[in-house]
Amino acid sequence: MSKDIPLIILLKKMDQALQKIGPIEVNIQEKKVSKFYEITKATGAPYLKENIISPEYFMTLLAPIATKIFLKIMNLKDLPKINGIIHTQSEINFLKPLSYGSYLIISQMEKLQKKKGKIGSYLVMTFRMSLINQQGDEIANDIHQFFLRLKEEED
């Protein structure tokens, strides 16, 4: 890749793209949560003892936002040419009990690494989506990791 920019600059540009999306308001409503469990037959145990939602509902709530974030990052002009993408991990953490009501989703880049494997070079990209309550406390988060296979330049 002849036009590589340093990873720290690329990470900063990715994070700036996320900040342009800004905090996104979500409203966790009892009616929607009940309908989700009715449709999916998900029990949510053991999470529902302390929270009103399970990881499955949290992922469903965040999925459209995660897609928007990922597309914003992938449209960066400074991003190297990507030959393939693998979503390798999604780690959900409940930090405090949830209640029904309004929250903000704030996203940020956490890490960007370049690695080389048997099939070529790739970037390991990690970003966090945090659920923030009205007091500004992080209540839960979903940390995503992707492998972005880099297209090898032809000499």
Side-chain angles (χ1 to χ4, degrees):
M1 296 181 310
S2 56
K3 297 181 183 177
D4 274 353
I5 65 171
L7 283 182
I8 191 74
I9 293 172
L10 184 57
L11 179 65
K12 185 175 182 177
K13 287 180 180 244
M14 289 176 159
D15 199 49
Q16 287 170 343
L18 292 184
Q19 300 317 310
K20 285 181 184 175
I21 294 172
I24 297 170
E25 187 173 344
V26 294
N27 195 352
I28 299 176
Q29 301 171 5
E30 185 174 6
K31 182 179 177 181
K32 289 183 178 181
V33 172
S34 296
K35 189 70 171 171
F36 172 81
Y37 291 116
E38 178 185 318
I39 291 169
T40 64
K41 307 288 190 242
T43 63
Y47 296 94
L48 296 180
K49 291 179 182 170
E50 291 187 21
N51 294 299
I52 58 168
I53 65 171
S54 65
E56 295 89 358
Y57 185 83
F58 191 50
M59 288 174 64
T60 301
L61 180 72
L62 296 180
I65 300 166
T67 300
K68 184 177 184 178
I69 288 168
F70 190 74
L71 290 174
K72 188 81 164 175
I73 292 169
M74 291 297 100
N75 281 322
L76 283 174
K77 65 178 180 176
D78 294 319
L79 193 67
K81 291 183 180 169
I82 305 297
N83 204 27
I85 300 168
I86 301 172
H87 183 248
T88 57
Q89 185 176 346
S90 180
E91 176 188 326
I92 293 179
N93 302 292
F94 288 102
L95 308 171
K96 295 184 177 186
L98 280 156
S99 58
Y100 297 112
S102 293
Y103 293 89
L104 292 177
I105 302 291
I106 297 177
S107 304
Q108 67 185 42
M109 293 299 302
E110 292 225 323
K111 190 176 0 175
L112 186 65
Q113 299 172 295
K114 186 173 182 181
K115 296 191 175 188
K116 189 156 182 81
K118 292 179 183 178
I119 59 169
S121 297
Y122 59 97
L123 295 175
V124 180
M125 178 183 79
T126 307
F127 71 87
R128 170 191 297 253
M129 299 175 67
S130 298
L131 187 69
I132 309 295
N133 68 11
Q134 300 291 330
Q135 292 74 37
D137 300 324
E138 184 178 27
I139 303 300
N141 61 50
D142 188 2
I143 302 169
H144 292 272
Q145 185 178 74
F146 291 88
F147 285 2
L148 310 174
R149 185 170 176 209
L150 300 175
K151 186 173 184 176
E152 299 297 328
E153 289 290 327
E154 297 174 8
D155 296 324

